[in-house]
Each structure stands twice: as C-alpha cells, then as structure tokens.
Amino acid sequence: MTGKKAAPSWLDYQPSGRRLDIEVFPFDNLRQRGTPAQIATAHRYSFYMLICVSEGAVTQLVDFEPVACRPGSLLVIHPGQVHSFGDGSGWEGWLVFFRPEFLPLVSETASGLLPTFSLDRITDHLTLSDVEFDAVTECMARMSHDTMNKAAAETLHALLRHQLCA
C-alpha cells in the first residue's frame, strides 16, 4: 500500500423501489441496503442529498473536510461533492436524494407555480432551531409517506417538488 487515498467513485442516483426522481427515507434504511464498508466509502454524487440528523452525533466528511453533526444539523450535499457517512453508527436521521433536474426551472418559480427555491443559496451546514427541526423532520416524514402514493409519477413528482421547495 502506497498511502495514497483512493479516488472516490461517482455514484449516480439509483432509486430503491418505485422509479421517482426523489427518495426520502431514514438513514437506517440505507444501513439495510449496504454494508458498513459501502456506507463508509467516499463517493462523488451526481445528485443532491439532504441529511437531517435527528439522533446521536456523527462526523460526516464533505470534500474530505470533517463536519460535526448532532440533532438539528442539516447538511446539503451538492452534485460533484465528495461525501462519506463515516462508520454509519451512533446516529439516525433523514436522507433526501434527488436529481438536479427535479428542482423547478427558473421559469416555473417566476410564474408563481412554485416558491423561489435554490439550494445554492442555502448554507451547506445548518443548525436548525427546535421549531425549524420539527418542521423539517415532519416534512421529510410526510414526503417519505407520500412517495408510496399510487398516483401517477408526474402527479407525485409535482406534489413532492412543492413539498421540497416549501
């Protein structure tokens, strides 16, 4: 071994279950999908990821920089960034994965169809107040439930896009 860090591999969005452009689920669900080694591996994502820590404490790595998180931490991981969950133990939270094209176009927000929304204007690591945390986790739980709705995918995408923007 030369001591060099392995280059992170690109990870494309591959939804689990129903083919939607967004997926919302508890971190424990990810633990069930992969091995601890897969979860700890650094990946360069082609999609957005929101991570809301609800229990415990964890140090996430974002672009190889440690980010200490505790309940109320909200991370925004952008396409192209490198991220690792670390060992994946000792914490719980919500994950939201979505492709960049899931976000509304500027013409849609300007027309009043959707609230103006840009993840580029949000700080990459937020510490939510208790009220904000309750609202965010309630919304993520609602979105997770709504992804199981039997409505047509385009109708469901519209609902989930509005919820994400809110």
Side-chain angles (χ1 to χ4, degrees), residues 9 71 76 78 81 83 91 131 138 156:
S9 61
V76 179
H78 298 267
Q81 285 190 295
H83 171 258
W91 71 282
V131 170
E138 184 178 307
L156 196 49

Side-chain angles (χ1 to χ4, degrees), residues 105-116:
L105 300 172
V106 172
S107 61
E108 292 174 318
T109 60
S111 68
L113 294 176
L114 290 168
T116 302

